[in-house]
């Protein structure tokens, strides 16, 4: 497909996973297979020597370096996107840095990216909001048109089976009353159609959150999606940037290990029930050694039981005892660690068999 003048051979977006899960090696390897590899910007500079003293500078420096490395790894194939959460501090500066570094696309969720169109307008970078309802899709299209006179190049629908922070209420998640993916897809397509017709521009739609195999991919495409976003399965790849311990935690997970938790920022999230969560239930706390104000919504200090940044960095580094391991609902179905190429080839061959 051709999105805003940029070629994508296959309709697969690798979900942006942070902290430190999807960096240059994973994103570049996915792009090399003709898909969209996505770097997560959140606290991307955690391995920089000055991260605790100068987190903003460390993050911007590392982001630019990872985009450059991912482009080199991709060998000019596919696209390199950056996932920038609306909830992060220095959102605008991070978007501008990604554009400056040559990111092919910026994908934003964890809030409504109301000013993303203005920040991207006039650049060669594609932009896409993450939505979980037709209401959000319609609101954002109206907002982008009013403030910048343009529509998003694509949208990512993130369903309730996704990993990490979720755009659904805790009650709906616990009671399994969330709207099904294909219903959200149908309604989002209907909501954006008038905008597409008025501006004579196609908004590509990718469906994510619970897309596990080629059968799911074909089901999404048959229902009107242009492609899919897949996250958790890419953790269990040899090229994924996290420590091998994280990959093994995914492979070893069982259905009963997957929990909906309350993040310190107030949102529900899905993670694996590892020692950190077990100890938090017993009243233990894991506070930041030094707060870098990474998320605007975080109450900070001793008002929270644990620092989510510290917990996610611990997971990326392979600390099973203190790490927070975000994952999608289908994590227990992941049985082995494979290469990115093997995974994408499997997805494409399965989807071809099931396409209408």
């Amino acid at each position: 497909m051709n999105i805003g003048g940029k070629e994508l051979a296959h309709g697969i977006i690798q979900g942006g996973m942070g902290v430190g899960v999807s960096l240059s090696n994973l994103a570049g390897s996915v792009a090399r297979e003709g898909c969209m590899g996505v770097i997560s910007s959140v606290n991307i500079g955690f391995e920089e020597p000055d991260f605790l003293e100068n987190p903003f500078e460390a993050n911007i420096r590392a982001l630019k370096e990872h985009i450059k490395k991912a482009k080199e790894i991709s060998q000019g194939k596919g696209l390199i996107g950056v996932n920038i959460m609306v909830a992060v501090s220095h959102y605008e500066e991070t978007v501008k840095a990604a554009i400056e570094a040559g990111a092919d696309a910026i994908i934003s969720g964890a809030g409504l990216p109301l000013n993303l169109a203005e920040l991207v307008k006039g650049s060669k970078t594609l932009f896409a909001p993450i939505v979980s309802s037709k209401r959000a899709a319609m609101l954002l299209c109206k907002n982008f048109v009013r403030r910048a006179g343009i529509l998003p190049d694509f949208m990512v629908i993130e369903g309730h089976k996704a990993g990490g922070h979720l755009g659904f209420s805790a009650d709906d998640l616990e009671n399994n009353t969330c709207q099904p993916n294909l219903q959200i897809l149908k309604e989002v397509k209907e909501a954006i159609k008038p905008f597409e017709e008025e501006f004579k521009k196609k908004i590509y739609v990718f469906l994510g959150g619970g897309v596990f195999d080629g059968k799911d991919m074909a089901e999404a495409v048959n229902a009107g999606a242009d492609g899919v976003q897949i996250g958790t399965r890419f953790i269990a790849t040899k090229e994924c940037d996290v420590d091998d311990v994280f990959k093994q935690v995914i492979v070893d997970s069982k259905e009963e290990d997957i929990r909906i938790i309350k993040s310190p920022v107030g949102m529900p999230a899905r993670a694996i029930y590892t020692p950190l969560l077990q100890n938090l239930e017993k009243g233990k706390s894991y506070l930041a050694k030094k707060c870098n104000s990474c998320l605007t919504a975080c109450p900070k200090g001793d008002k929270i039981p644990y620092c989510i940044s510290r917990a996610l960095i611990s997971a990326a580094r392979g600390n099973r005892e203190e790490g927070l391991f975000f994952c999608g609902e289908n994590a227990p179905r992941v049985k082995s660690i494979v290469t990115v190429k093997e995974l994408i080839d499997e997805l494409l061959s399965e989807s071809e068999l099931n396409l209408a």
Side-chain angles (χ1 to χ4, degrees):
M1 63 188 78
N2 185 304
I3 309 176
K6 294 179 185 280
E7 293 289 336
L8 197 60
H10 308 299
I12 297 174
I13 296 175
Q14 159 251 309
M17 300 169 284
V19 175
V21 182
S22 55
L23 299 178
S24 49
N25 197 47
L26 177 58
S29 301
V30 170
R32 194 169 59 217
E33 299 304 318
C35 304
M36 187 183 298
V38 179
I39 294 166
S40 171
S41 77
V42 62
N43 275 340
I44 193 169
F46 73 99
E47 296 288 25
E48 295 289 302
D50 59 341
F51 176 65
L52 289 177
E53 290 71 37
N54 305 298
F56 171 66
E57 292 85 351
N59 283 332
I60 295 297
R61 185 190 320 125
L63 175 62
K64 291 181 174 180
E65 187 59 31
H66 276 290
I67 292 171
K68 181 186 171 191
K69 282 183 184 173
K71 291 257 184 181
E72 289 169 358
I73 293 168
S74 74
Q75 298 173 356
K77 298 171 185 172
L79 298 176
I80 298 296
V82 180
N83 182 294
I84 305 174
M85 298 195 303
V86 178
V88 296
S89 302
H90 305 293
Y91 175 76
E92 290 190 13
E93 296 95 325
T94 307
V95 170
K96 288 174 182 175
I99 293 169
E100 189 182 313
D104 292 306
I106 290 170
I107 301 171
S108 275
L112 295 174
L114 298 173
N115 60 342
L116 183 56
E118 297 161 85
L119 295 170
V120 173
K121 189 174 182 179
S123 74
K124 294 178 180 177
T125 303
L126 308 174
F127 76 104
I130 295 175
V131 300
S132 296
S133 69
K134 68 174 181 182
R135 183 172 171 274
M138 190 178 295
L139 189 153
L140 286 167
C141 282
K142 284 181 180 176
N143 178 77
F144 293 151
V145 168
R146 180 172 58 83
R147 295 173 65 160
I150 56 175
L151 291 173
D153 298 288
F154 61 102
M155 281 189 177
V156 176
I157 295 172
E158 205 162 85
H160 66 281
K161 294 182 179 181
H165 290 113
L166 302 163
F168 297 85
S169 74
D171 285 345
D172 280 338
L173 288 162
E174 291 288 1
N175 299 321
N176 201 25
T177 52
C178 296
Q179 201 174 15
N181 278 12
L182 296 184
Q183 183 61 31
I184 300 173
L185 172 64
K186 179 176 180 288
E187 293 184 6
V188 166
K189 294 272 290 180
E190 289 169 356
I192 65 176
K193 190 176 179 182
F195 295 97
E196 292 179 306
E197 289 173 350
E198 182 183 347
F199 283 80
K200 295 180 173 55
K201 173 180 176 173
K202 177 176 172 60
I203 302 172
Y204 290 82
V205 179
F206 293 81
L207 183 63
V211 177
F212 184 82
D213 54 23
K215 188 168 176 275
D216 295 334
M217 186 174 165
E219 184 178 49
V221 173
N222 287 334
D226 296 290
V228 295
Q229 176 177 278
I230 298 173
T232 302
R233 289 199 74 182
F234 281 104
I235 300 175
T237 59
K238 291 176 182 175
E239 294 89 344
C240 183
D241 296 86
V242 289
D243 188 274
D244 285 348
V245 167
F246 194 140
K247 303 175 189 183
Q248 202 58 46
V249 166
I250 295 289
V251 172
D252 292 342
S253 69
K254 298 178 179 63
E255 206 171 310
E256 58 269 25
D257 298 329
I258 312 305
R259 304 289 173 94
I260 297 295
I261 64 168
K262 186 179 178 182
S263 159
V265 300
M267 294 175 71
R270 182 174 280 108
I272 298 175
Y273 192 61
T274 49
L276 171 83
L277 297 179
Q278 295 162 21
N279 289 326
L280 285 169
E281 285 182 355
K282 295 172 186 173
K284 193 170 180 181
S285 59
Y286 296 83
L287 302 181
K289 289 166 185 171
K290 183 175 181 182
C291 178
N292 68 357
S293 300
C294 60
L295 297 173
T296 54
C298 183
K300 303 172 181 61
D302 57 6
K303 296 174 187 173
I304 54 173
Y306 69 102
C307 167
I308 193 165
S309 176
R310 172 183 167 177
L312 292 172
I313 288 171
S314 294
R317 287 175 171 164
N319 183 339
R320 195 179 180 283
E321 298 302 308
E322 296 187 3
L324 176 62
F325 298 85
F326 278 161
C327 69
E329 188 180 276
N330 287 316
R333 293 173 64 187
V334 178
K335 300 301 181 189
S336 61
I337 298 167
V338 297
T339 66
V340 162
K341 179 171 172 44
E342 286 169 339
L343 174 55
I344 291 173
D345 284 348
E346 177 190 310
L347 291 167
L348 293 173
S349 61
E350 284 178 353
S351 67
E352 282 173 18
L353 291 172
N354 289 279
L355 279 171

